[in-house]
Amino acid sequence: NNETAKVSYEKFIATVKPAEVEANKQTLAYAFFALIVLEKDKNPAKAKDYVAKSVQLDPTYQDAVKLNAEINK
């Protein structure tokens, strides 16, 4: 169920404390990427925000980099 997945990813992101961000950058980037996939058709503005966060957290995450370029054409 996409809504359950969305809620789970959002909950994970919300539980990461600022001091834990550095240690969890790759996992957070993946979580934001998953939200992009779930939101890009329903809420493109939110998807753009998520992809920017994903790339900011992990600029080497090629799936996010490619989707960022695609979304921001």
Side-chain angles (χ1 to χ4, degrees), residues 49-69:
D49 183 45
Y50 289 150
V51 78
K53 289 177 182 176
S54 183
V55 171
Q56 180 183 13
L57 287 162
D58 185 359
T60 66
Y61 188 12
Q62 288 304 304
D63 289 339
V65 171
K66 288 177 188 171
L67 193 53
N68 186 40

Side-chain angles (χ1 to χ4, degrees), residues 4-48:
T4 302
K6 181 180 170 220
V7 170
S8 295
Y9 285 119
E10 289 172 338
K11 186 175 180 180
F12 168 74
I13 290 166
T15 62
V16 176
K17 296 174 179 66
E20 300 170 337
V21 169
E22 189 64 35
N24 290 288
K25 276 187 169 185
Q26 286 184 318
T27 306
L28 282 167
Y30 178 83
F32 278 113
F33 185 81
L35 287 171
I36 298 160
V37 173
L38 296 170
E39 289 287 341
K40 71 178 183 175
D41 294 328
K42 293 186 291 185
N43 192 338
K46 201 174 223 181
K48 281 185 178 186

